[in-house]
Amino acid sequence: MRYLILSLIVLLGLSSPAISGTRDPSTPDSKHLAYGKKHECVVQVKGKMNIKTKEGEEIEVTASGSGVVIAKRYILTAAHVVQKTKDPYIILDGKKIKIEWVVIPNKFAEENTGPYDIALCRLHEDAIVNFYPELYDKDDELGKLCSLAGWGMHGTWKTGTIYDDDKRRAGSNYVDPIMFCGMMVCSVQGTQKQTSLEYLIGHGDSGGGLFIDKKLAGIHSCIYTGDGKLDSSYKDYSAHTRVSLHKDWIDLIVNDYEKILETIKEASSESVIKFL
């Protein structure tokens, strides 16, 4: 098991600068861009957020993260990406789609990170992608090969995340330890068990997806550092919220809400109902 140094940062990119992940310096970036195109269901999530400057002044900035489209009207993202974001929306093929409502586990408000850093969002209109991933429902993620995808800045393990070109990238890794019961960990510590597209998430990838066997198994949450620099370089580690722990309530909300909508529509065939 690889050791974790308890220095954490939430991976939420801001407009200036906004941060995708880091790669092996010997691997061309073009390979991660090409692999990113295969993860069309991973989209950008944006909105407005108020932050305080060093001088204590409160200013409004554009917050940017990632999300995963799991159905035509639903995405999963990290709770910290949308919890305090105003007028959130996703960008799909250059088009903005508003987020209607957000559901966040109560325990996230208590801990503000950890295994409850996940949010279910309903969209104002359909998001059409080539593949809607199933949700992972097994308790066997440890040691599994996974793919990681997200938006933001990028770089190598040597430089850290330093470039911003607003493109989606993806790579692969293995799930190392599972910590705090609900967080999967990935790292790039030069072990013998390394993938051909070894990758580590960075700032701006928050809310993006970790996939196992083409199923959505994790939501990007945060990174830890072993060198004091939170830049997704050699001694850093990433943590991902386990989707399997939250699958039941996600399915319940999605299925029941859609059934209620259909019932209302069927019962009002002679009336006009406006859905806001």
Side-chain angles (χ1 to χ4, degrees), residues 173-207:
N173 211 309
Y174 286 96
V175 176
D176 288 336
I178 293 180
M179 54 187 285
F180 307 141
C181 298
M183 302 293 283
M184 296 177 290
V185 175
C186 295
S187 62
V188 290
Q189 302 307 299
T191 63
Q192 293 182 353
K193 196 176 183 181
Q194 184 169 312
T195 70
S196 59
L197 282 179
E198 190 89 351
Y199 196 70
L200 190 67
I201 63 171
H203 306 298
D205 284 330
S206 273

Side-chain angles (χ1 to χ4, degrees), residues 5-8 224-233 235-236:
I5 304 299
L6 296 182
S7 181
L8 175 150
Y224 293 83
T225 182
D227 60 5
K229 298 178 181 179
L230 291 161
D231 56 2
S232 301
S233 56
K235 294 185 178 181
D236 291 348

Side-chain angles (χ1 to χ4, degrees), residues 8 77 82 98 114 131 141 149 153 228 239 242 253 268:
L8 175 150
T77 185
V82 290
K98 292 171 55 178
F131 172 67
E141 302 98 331
M153 293 178 74
R242 291 172 67 193
I253 293 172
S268 60

Side-chain angles (χ1 to χ4, degrees), residues 202-218:
H203 306 298
D205 284 330
S206 273
L210 180 153
F211 301 86
I212 297 176
D213 297 331
K214 296 184 178 181
K215 294 183 179 181
L216 180 61

